[in-house]
């Protein structure tokens, strides 16, 4: 009688290092993604619109469709901008105590501008991270096709 469970794949550091996969540098892929470039070649564009990741690289043909950035870039931007704006607001409030209307005129546009400036680079960094770590469908085998559905 055949077993319903497929053979278990065991991952070890030794098998990963001796595999014939292409070497993926994590920091280089993240830097390329931050610049909006393909994490593999660094030449092709990663985005076709402001936050729309292109389907594939125009230079090396890397398929970008498996990326799953979802809400992580937005959460990271909130953390980064919050760590810049809140200490600035506290410092200005304790040193100068400007009127509330002036504070709102400073902090709201600053928060909006910083968020919009960081959103695309942070999303590109997350896509580069996923590619370098072979997450989702970015592995060499083309995804989890051999794994049974849960």
């Amino acid at each position: 009688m055949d077993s319903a469970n497929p053979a278990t794949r065991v991952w070890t550091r030794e098998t990963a290092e001796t595999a014939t996969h292409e070497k993926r540098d994590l920091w280089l892929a993240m830097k390329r993604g931050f610049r909006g470039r393909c994490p593999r070649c660094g030449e092709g564009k990663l985005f076709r619109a402001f936050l729309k990741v292109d389907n594939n690289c125009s230079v090396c043909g890397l398929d970008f469709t498996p990326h799953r950035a979802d809400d992580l870039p937005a959460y990271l931007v909130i953390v980064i901008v919050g760590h810049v704006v809140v200490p600035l607001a506290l410092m200005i409030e304790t040193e100068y105590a400007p009127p509330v209307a002036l504070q709102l005129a400073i902090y709201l546009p600053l928060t909006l501008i910083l968020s919009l400036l960081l959103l695309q680079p942070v999303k590109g960094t997350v896509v580069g991270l996923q590619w370098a770590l072979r997450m989702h469908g970015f592995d060499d085998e083309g995804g989890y096709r051999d794994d049974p559905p849960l």
Side-chain angles (χ1 to χ4, degrees):
M1 183 179 250
D2 291 324
S3 173
N5 295 332
T8 304
R9 286 193 251 171
V10 178
W11 185 90
T12 63
R13 185 174 302 271
E14 290 77 27
T15 58
E17 289 174 355
T18 59
T20 60
H21 303 301
E22 66 180 318
K23 182 168 173 40
R24 296 182 181 181
D25 184 7
L26 176 67
W27 297 111
L28 183 61
M30 289 174 61
K31 184 176 85 171
R32 288 174 174 170
F34 186 84
R35 290 183 15 236
R37 299 293 177 195
C38 171
R40 181 195 284 165
C41 68
E43 298 295 323
K45 290 187 175 185
L46 184 60
F47 296 98
R48 64 182 157 162
F50 179 61
L51 289 177
K52 288 282 189 187
V53 177
D54 206 351
N55 290 333
N56 54 19
C57 176
S58 59
V59 176
C60 69
L62 176 65
D63 183 20
F64 297 137
T65 56
H67 89 85
R68 297 289 176 263
D70 298 330
D71 293 333
L72 180 62
Y75 293 137
L76 294 176
V77 167
I78 289 170
V79 169
I80 294 168
V81 171
H83 277 82
V84 170
V85 173
V86 171
L88 180 68
L90 291 174
M91 183 189 72
I92 290 174
E93 175 63 31
T94 56
E95 296 292 324
Y96 305 108
V100 174
L102 179 61
Q103 291 184 51
L104 290 176
I106 294 170
Y107 305 136
L108 291 179
L110 180 65
T111 303
L112 177 68
I113 290 168
L114 285 176
S115 298
L116 290 176
L117 287 176
L118 283 175
L119 200 51
Q120 187 181 38
V122 169
K123 184 170 184 174
T125 303
V126 170
V127 172
L129 173 89
Q130 291 177 352
W131 175 80
L133 296 179
R134 302 177 196 280
M135 295 173 70
H136 308 298
F138 283 125
D139 58 344
D140 292 332
E141 286 82 32
Y144 300 103
R145 294 183 192 131
D146 299 335
D147 294 343
L150 299 175

